[in-house]
Amino acid sequence: MSMTVTELPHKEQALFRSALLYEASQYKKGLKVSDQILKKFPDHGETLSVKGMFLAHLERKEEGYELMERGLKINPQSSISWHVYGLVCRSDKKYAQAIKCYEEALKADSENMHILREVASLYVQMRQYSKAVECREKLVAMNPFFPSFWLGLATTHHMNGRYDLAIKVISAHESGNNQPPLDKYQISELSLYKNWLIELNGDYQQALDHLKEIRPQIVDITGWKEKKARLLLKADRKEAAATAFQDLLERNSENDDYITGYMECNGLDMKCDEDQDAVLEVIGTLQQQFPSSNRLRFLPLMYSTGDNFVVAAESLAKYALRKGIPSLFSSVRVLYADKVKGAALGTLIESCATQIRDTKRFSDSTDDEPASVLLWCNYYLAQHYDYYGDHERALTLIEEAIRSSPKTIEPYMIKARILKHAGDFRGARDTMDYARQQDVGDRYLTTKFIKYMLRVNEVDEAEKTYLLFVNEDAPHKIQEIVNMQATWYMNERGHAFRRMGDIGRALKHYHQAIGVFDTYQDDQYDFHQYSVRKVTLRSYIDILQWETTVYENPAYQTAARAAAECYLELADRKAAGNAFVPIEVEKDDKPLTRNGSAQQGQHNLAAGVGETKVYDVEKDPNGTKFVESDNLAEALKLAEHLESVAASNPDTHVLAFEVHLRMQKYFLVLKAINALKAIDATHPALPSMVVRLSQALDTDESFAAPLKVPLRAQLAKAFGAVDITTGADESIDSVLAAAKSMLAMGDGDQAAALLVQTPEAKYVEGRTLLKLLEVKRLLAKSGADESTQAAFSAAAKTVFPLATCF
């Protein structure tokens, strides 16, 4: 028969309760107390569970879970045992399992306020808002004078789409005797939050009345004014809304939302072609009122055409050239999507440069311009020609800019970018290094230099340079790099190791980048109680809404796809009997400092004298656990997650196809093909995907014949007769897709014959340096002889004559 806490002797009860009070830094003390009780009562289930919790937090997780499960078997009705198990599961990010534990704990102790608060937060974490509402309603009923219970209930109703109920909860909270009382900032935030709820509920006039009522309580004046302008517009009071937006523009004339709102007040849609003349007229009026606004100076270029565009562009360009604004090209680059506007901008700046060279002034000016104007003309034109792929002309212009002002850093940065686009990665790296040396304290320059070093696989040197960002007193400098969560660095480093053939360490860095987004997702848990306690409710709702899209970030998708591709490569090598062997890292016992040195890729370094803690980055420096894992299973996890968070990206379904095909899940293969077709029916990978599935069905005798019939029927109905080389006569993307499929099917000779044609003129459309580098990689993989590869490199050099990467 199990014994509860209350059945223990008084001394042991006191010991047990003291054990529960130990903080994270006192787990060892708690463990000692638990052992004292277990000496006398070795089968006391709740003490076993508590001891298991301490062990789990002391990195003895397997032993800890075993003890907690044993404690639950002894006393399955104990709320303490279930609560403790839930705490450990929550700490280990096993949220679904933690919820089950808390629910079991509540069966035994339904009025436990701590458990109710924690499980409510977990419900929100897992987006189970209906259950969260039930928990928080119970908390309010138990303690109606605690503000965070009311506010937590309101935000949960909000996320559940019940704005009316959220309003009622806030109103009830405001009319109650809440302790402690809110300060003026919290009252301001709560008032604006309630107003937002009224707006979301669709009662704009009531929201306006409420906004007027709460004005004396508001601290965030700009937020109040923005709300007023938006509500007036939604209530169709356009004249008053225009006045409100005018007031906002006087505060910040660079804000796009204010400008768009002002246009809407005038009945104009900035995206509608028919309204563009009127939009330009209103922008002109605003420019007169706010002549210093850069945004208003740029907007006419978005909506004007022909001569009007040239006039507006000339005004902006001359202003920027005289002011020496380096970001001019970056600002107008969006206009280059329109070929006519892109060409007109190039012609305009060429004309400006010619005028300055010939007369030292613009044609409409009587005064000589500063010598720097020609520098910025050449600076812009270099980027213009680089955009269109004329790298030689771009380099000539940027060299002229450098000669005119050798101490100006920006031209060196653009020169490095041009060299990179031209294929001279080493020259780009050296040029960026020179730029960085001119101002070693500039973090942006250092960041760019690190990226350029990684592009030439200088992983050690890049790491040493990155350490410039790390505090001198950091306990472990390499771990600190990971903690900085620079996903661009993790991905670039992963790419570098992948190019070097070190798949293990490439996977290690890709998983570090993936882990950053997992951390974002997990970290929201702390805000479920913190935000309602601090009454930062609007920001809290924004966080919850942002968290639902966190995995849509391109950096995550890049890391996940690259990692999945690495796993597929590992699986293919194992299947071919050529398994990848992790590359050992040479150990260096010296601590790594800013001025220290490290072996290539070395992470097995302690940061301080006598440091004994094993940091996460020190574990598995070679990525062995990733290499030795079930590669296809790991690739499947990544592919399935990408399908759930990035279903609109064609690359997601190409990856899913590759994974499912190797796992012989042919119906899922077909699903991936159909999903890709739904997004882009002309995607270059589709023909080869259909052919490979058909071939797999023909050759896989282990797959049930009756199941092949509907698969073939659906393929025939959707695609008919398909050739793997469809589109390969004119599209380099189709060539790459076909060649990859040929290699997967073991036809290296045909793949090579197709790939060597890519430097030909017929593939000029869409051909880039990166695509030709991919051709080079695939040629080597195809087993093409050295003469064939040399011939391709020579032909590629005619396309990119400055390239050193072929």
Side-chain angles (χ1 to χ4, degrees), residues 426 429 453-463 496:
R426 173 61 60 179
R429 177 252 185 239
M453 280 196 288
L454 290 171
R455 296 276 170 83
V456 292
N457 302 336
E458 293 182 351
V459 290
D460 288 344
E461 291 78 3
E463 183 173 78

Side-chain angles (χ1 to χ4, degrees), residues 142 147 363 542 592 644 653 784:
M142 291 169 62
S363 59
D542 287 342
L592 184 62
S644 67
H653 304 293

Side-chain angles (χ1 to χ4, degrees), residues 127 129 159 521 543-552:
R127 303 303 188 258
Y129 294 119
M159 292 306 295
Q521 189 76 5
I543 287 174
L544 291 181
Q545 293 172 341
W546 175 78
E547 288 284 0
T548 61
T549 63
V550 66
Y551 289 110
E552 295 176 13

Side-chain angles (χ1 to χ4, degrees), residues 494-511:
H495 297 337
F497 278 121
R498 191 178 175 190
R499 286 191 297 268
M500 295 161 66
D502 194 339
I503 304 175
R505 271 182 280 180
L507 278 168
K508 182 181 177 71
H509 289 287
Y510 291 139
H511 276 284

